[in-house]
Amino acid sequence: AAVVVGMFTLGRAAGFGRDRIATTVEKSLAPIAGILLIVGAGGGFKQTLIDVGVGQMILDISKDWNISALLLAWLIAVAIRLATGSATVATISAAGLVAPLAADMSTTHTALLVLAVGTGSLFFSHVNDAGFWMVKEYFGMNVGQTVKTWSLMETIISVVGIVFVLLLSLVL
């Protein structure tokens, strides 16, 4: 809706004709098409997992475990990231799956749950990740070098992130 309003209010106000507006919109939509596809697919994947009962299964299993909800959220995000390669899909899917855990949490711990999912979604970028290929190409590295640098760095960020989230949960 915002794009349509912008086309008429800003495009016409700038003196753009119909052809110029169409060309501008066409050029603008191409770069975000992949992002929209990934986010949409991630949302669909998340909803599929929820509809088949994975979210409830996680709640049922986690009741028997003596594990922090924050660590559980991180592990779920890590598992989805490793399986799909996409941080976006891991974030959307893990957030949907652990959302029921947030119902009994304070706002502070809910924020920490969000951070746990976010840090888990960064774990080990690999060949299924568009970011992996962007880094590889922009820096002129081969796949092995990218794994040894980018993937390792992403893993370190993820592990350090969950450590700090767990430490914060003890203090807050």
Side-chain angles (χ1 to χ4, degrees), residues 86-98:
S86 171
T88 306
V89 172
T91 301
I92 293 169
S93 301
L97 292 173
V98 301

Side-chain angles (χ1 to χ4, degrees), residues 78-140:
V78 166
I80 295 171
R81 167 63 174 215
L82 290 174
T84 65
S86 171
T88 306
V89 172
T91 301
I92 293 169
S93 301
L97 292 173
V98 301
L101 296 174
D104 298 333
M105 292 183 168
S106 67
T107 55
T108 303
H109 279 82
T110 301
L112 291 174
L113 186 68
V114 170
L115 291 173
V117 168
T119 61
S121 72
L122 295 176
F123 193 88
F124 196 75
S125 173
H126 59 81
V127 296
N128 283 0
D129 183 20
F132 178 91
W133 294 105
M134 287 175 41
V135 168
K136 176 195 170 297
E137 292 301 318
Y138 283 138
F139 290 105

Side-chain angles (χ1 to χ4, degrees), residues 3-44:
V3 172
V4 173
V5 170
M7 288 187 316
F8 289 108
T9 59
L10 301 175
R12 294 283 185 198
F16 290 2
R18 183 179 203 164
D19 293 336
R20 176 82 187 265
I21 291 173
T23 303
T24 303
V25 170
E26 183 178 327
K27 287 180 183 177
S28 301
L29 292 179
I32 66 161
I35 295 168
L36 291 174
L37 181 64
I38 290 169
V39 171

Side-chain angles (χ1 to χ4, degrees), residues 45-104:
F45 181 63
K46 178 230 14 146
Q47 195 59 45
T48 300
L49 292 174
I50 290 172
D51 287 348
V52 298
V54 173
Q56 187 59 45
M57 181 190 74
I58 289 170
L59 282 176
D60 295 341
I61 290 173
S62 67
K63 289 177 184 173
D64 298 333
W65 293 358
N66 191 14
I67 186 171
S68 163
L70 300 174
L71 185 58
L72 179 64
W74 183 80
L75 289 170
I76 291 167
V78 166
I80 295 171
R81 167 63 174 215
L82 290 174
T84 65
S86 171
T88 306
V89 172
T91 301
I92 293 169
S93 301
L97 292 173
V98 301
L101 296 174
D104 298 333

